[in-house]
Amino acid sequence: MKFTIKPIAYIETDFKEKFGIPRQSGVVPNLLGKIIFEKEYRDINAIRGLEKFTHIWLIWLFSENIENECFPTVRPPRLGGDERIGVFATRSPFRPNSIGLSCVELNKIELDTKLGPVIYVKGADLMNRTPIFDIKPYIPYTDAKPQASCSFAKAEWERKLKVEFPQELLDKIKTNKQQNLVEVLEQDPRPAYKEESNQVYTLSFADYEVSFVVNNKVLTVTEVQ
């Protein structure tokens, strides 16, 4: 039996490529995203009542990983990128079906004369223009499980870095983007299996290309273009 699934919307974020996107939603809580519905779903009635919820679930497509081969085991970043674990015990983007799930804060809903209802969210871990398959309200009494255990995915991210951002470079970033960028860098964007000192990495964020190096858990920004 075959099924057809199509996007109902897409999201606009500050991430033009995969590198640097937070590994989970909500890790950088104030990252802004804007959900734009496809033309056939721009009926305000379709989201009537959604404004009464503080958080929503996004079901979306790992659009950059569709053609990548899927293996039964993967190497989670939280295990250093060396230990392999079953794909269904992780949230790896390399899956049999390239479907992602994110819980985000619903910031506001605005009605645009051309785009219809536009949903603004915070804490999204999606690349710019990611297709969205569905939107569902987050319901605390069923969705929140405080007693749940989470194996290797501990509450604190062990690789969090100290960020040194020279003021003259930070001043090149729009004020409303500065804190979010710093928090993204704190999460250590590097692949888990690449931790070489003095290697220069470049992160695309909003309208900027931010270069940095990491030494002894200190990330130093070296250039902003």
Side-chain angles (χ1 to χ4, degrees), residues 93-105:
F94 304 102
R95 321 185 67 79
N97 293 305
S98 302
I99 296 175
L101 176 69
S102 298
C103 180
V104 296
E105 180 182 350

PDB file of all heavy atoms in Angstrom, residues 93-105:
ATOM      1  N   PRO A  93      18.713  12.572  11.389  1.00  0.00           N
ATOM      2  CA  PRO A  93      17.987  12.895  10.155  1.00  0.00           C
ATOM      3  C   PRO A  93      18.095  11.801   9.097  1.00  0.00           C
ATOM      4  O   PRO A  93      17.339  11.807   8.122  1.00  0.00           O
ATOM      5  CB  PRO A  93      18.662  14.184   9.681  1.00  0.00           C
ATOM      6  CG  PRO A  93      20.039  14.130  10.254  1.00  0.00           C
ATOM      7  CD  PRO A  93      19.886  13.443  11.585  1.00  0.00           C
ATOM      8  N   PHE A  94      19.018  10.874   9.277  1.00  0.00           N
ATOM      9  CA  PHE A  94      19.218   9.803   8.298  1.00  0.00           C
ATOM     10  C   PHE A  94      18.337   8.616   8.671  1.00  0.00           C
ATOM     11  O   PHE A  94      18.735   7.719   9.412  1.00  0.00           O
ATOM     12  CB  PHE A  94      20.694   9.414   8.241  1.00  0.00           C
ATOM     13  CG  PHE A  94      21.592  10.581   7.949  1.00  0.00           C
ATOM     14  CD1 PHE A  94      22.313  11.186   8.965  1.00  0.00           C
ATOM     15  CD2 PHE A  94      21.687  11.103   6.665  1.00  0.00           C
ATOM     16  CE1 PHE A  94      23.130  12.283   8.700  1.00  0.00           C
ATOM     17  CE2 PHE A  94      22.499  12.191   6.394  1.00  0.00           C
ATOM     18  CZ  PHE A  94      23.215  12.780   7.416  1.00  0.00           C
ATOM     19  N   ARG A  95      17.110   8.613   8.137  1.00  0.00           N
ATOM     20  CA  ARG A  95      16.090   7.660   8.532  1.00  0.00           C
ATOM     21  C   ARG A  95      15.450   7.027   7.302  1.00  0.00           C
ATOM     22  O   ARG A  95      15.555   7.563   6.200  1.00  0.00           O
ATOM     23  CB  ARG A  95      15.020   8.354   9.369  1.00  0.00           C
ATOM     24  CG  ARG A  95      15.534   9.395  10.348  1.00  0.00           C
ATOM     25  CD  ARG A  95      14.441   9.950  11.223  1.00  0.00           C
ATOM     26  NE  ARG A  95      13.922   8.931  12.132  1.00  0.00           N
ATOM     27  CZ  ARG A  95      14.538   8.551  13.261  1.00  0.00           C
ATOM     28  NH1 ARG A  95      15.671   9.126  13.610  1.00  0.00           N
ATOM     29  NH2 ARG A  95      14.020   7.605  14.020  1.00  0.00           N
ATOM     30  N   PRO A  96      14.742   5.899   7.464  1.00  0.00           N
ATOM     31  CA  PRO A  96      14.043   5.319   6.318  1.00  0.00           C
ATOM     32  C   PRO A  96      13.063   6.295   5.673  1.00  0.00           C
ATOM     33  O   PRO A  96      12.937   6.352   4.448  1.00  0.00           O
ATOM     34  CB  PRO A  96      13.311   4.119   6.938  1.00  0.00           C
ATOM     35  CG  PRO A  96      14.125   3.753   8.124  1.00  0.00           C
ATOM     36  CD  PRO A  96      14.645   5.046   8.666  1.00  0.00           C
ATOM     37  N   ASN A  97      12.341   7.043   6.509  1.00  0.00           N
ATOM     38  CA  ASN A  97      11.497   8.133   6.030  1.00  0.00           C
ATOM     39  C   ASN A  97      12.019   9.426   6.651  1.00  0.00           C
ATOM     40  O   ASN A  97      12.129   9.525   7.874  1.00  0.00           O
ATOM     41  CB  ASN A  97      10.029   7.919   6.427  1.00  0.00           C
ATOM     42  CG  ASN A  97       9.420   6.725   5.728  1.00  0.00           C
ATOM     43  OD1 ASN A  97       9.433   6.634   4.499  1.00  0.00           O
ATOM     44  ND2 ASN A  97       8.906   5.776   6.499  1.00  0.00           N
ATOM     45  N   SER A  98      12.339  10.392   5.819  1.00  0.00           N
ATOM     46  CA  SER A  98      13.031  11.600   6.287  1.00  0.00           C
ATOM     47  C   SER A  98      12.070  12.587   6.946  1.00  0.00           C
ATOM     48  O   SER A  98      11.852  13.704   6.471  1.00  0.00           O
ATOM     49  CB  SER A  98      13.744  12.266   5.104  1.00  0.00           C
ATOM     50  OG  SER A  98      14.654  11.387   4.505  1.00  0.00           O
ATOM     51  N   ILE A  99      11.486  12.168   8.065  1.00  0.00           N
ATOM     52  CA  ILE A  99      10.481  12.980   8.749  1.00  0.00           C
ATOM     53  C   ILE A  99      11.036  13.468  10.084  1.00  0.00           C
ATOM     54  O   ILE A  99      11.596  12.696  10.858  1.00  0.00           O
ATOM     55  CB  ILE A  99       9.185  12.182   8.976  1.00  0.00           C
ATOM     56  CG1 ILE A  99       8.561  11.828   7.620  1.00  0.00           C
ATOM     57  CG2 ILE A  99       8.190  12.973   9.829  1.00  0.00           C
ATOM     58  CD1 ILE A  99       7.344  10.940   7.718  1.00  0.00           C
ATOM     59  N   GLY A 100      10.877  14.773  10.344  1.00  0.00           N
ATOM     60  CA  GLY A 100      11.316  15.373  11.587  1.00  0.00           C
ATOM     61  C   GLY A 100      10.136  15.795  12.453  1.00  0.00           C
ATOM     62  O   GLY A 100       9.025  15.988  11.957  1.00  0.00           O
ATOM     63  N   LEU A 101      10.393  15.933  13.751  1.00  0.00           N
ATOM     64  CA  LEU A 101       9.364  16.331  14.706  1.00  0.00           C
ATOM     65  C   LEU A 101       9.961  17.367  15.649  1.00  0.00           C
ATOM     66  O   LEU A 101      11.006  17.138  16.242  1.00  0.00           O
ATOM     67  CB  LEU A 101       8.890  15.108  15.495  1.00  0.00           C
ATOM     68  CG  LEU A 101       7.874  15.350  16.607  1.00  0.00           C
ATOM     69  CD1 LEU A 101       6.528  15.755  16.013  1.00  0.00           C
ATOM     70  CD2 LEU A 101       7.706  14.082  17.462  1.00  0.00           C
ATOM     71  N   SER A 102       9.304  18.516  15.787  1.00  0.00           N
ATOM     72  CA  SER A 102       9.813  19.585  16.649  1.00  0.00           C
ATOM     73  C   SER A 102       8.684  20.204  17.453  1.00  0.00           C
ATOM     74  O   SER A 102       7.595  20.449  16.932  1.00  0.00           O
ATOM     75  CB  SER A 102      10.478  20.692  15.813  1.00  0.00           C
ATOM     76  OG  SER A 102      11.594  20.205  15.106  1.00  0.00           O
ATOM     77  N   CYS A 103       8.973  20.469  18.720  1.00  0.00           N
ATOM     78  CA  CYS A 103       8.051  21.217  19.568  1.00  0.00           C
ATOM     79  C   CYS A 103       8.567  22.649  19.661  1.00  0.00           C
ATOM     80  O   CYS A 103       9.709  22.875  20.089  1.00  0.00           O
ATOM     81  CB  CYS A 103       7.971  20.587  20.954  1.00  0.00           C
ATOM     82  SG  CYS A 103       6.860  21.454  22.080  1.00  0.00           S
ATOM     83  N   VAL A 104       7.754  23.618  19.262  1.00  0.00           N
ATOM     84  CA  VAL A 104       8.172  25.018  19.250  1.00  0.00           C
ATOM     85  C   VAL A 104       7.146  25.879  19.984  1.00  0.00           C
ATOM     86  O   VAL A 104       5.981  25.505  20.136  1.00  0.00           O
ATOM     87  CB  VAL A 104       8.352  25.541  17.806  1.00  0.00           C
ATOM     88  CG1 VAL A 104       9.474  24.785  17.105  1.00  0.00           C
ATOM     89  CG2 VAL A 104       7.057  25.415  17.012  1.00  0.00           C
ATOM     90  N   GLU A 105       7.604  27.028  20.424  1.00  0.00           N
ATOM     91  CA  GLU A 105       6.706  27.973  21.089  1.00  0.00           C
ATOM     92  C   GLU A 105       5.946  28.777  20.042  1.00  0.00           C
ATOM     93  O   GLU A 105       6.532  29.287  19.085  1.00  0.00           O
ATOM     94  CB  GLU A 105       7.503  28.911  21.982  1.00  0.00           C
ATOM     95  CG  GLU A 105       6.638  29.931  22.714  1.00  0.00           C
ATOM     96  CD  GLU A 105       7.437  30.896  23.572  1.00  0.00           C
ATOM     97  OE1 GLU A 105       8.653  30.667  23.759  1.00  0.00           O
ATOM     98  OE2 GLU A 105       6.848  31.881  24.054  1.00  0.00           O
TER      99      GLU A 105
END
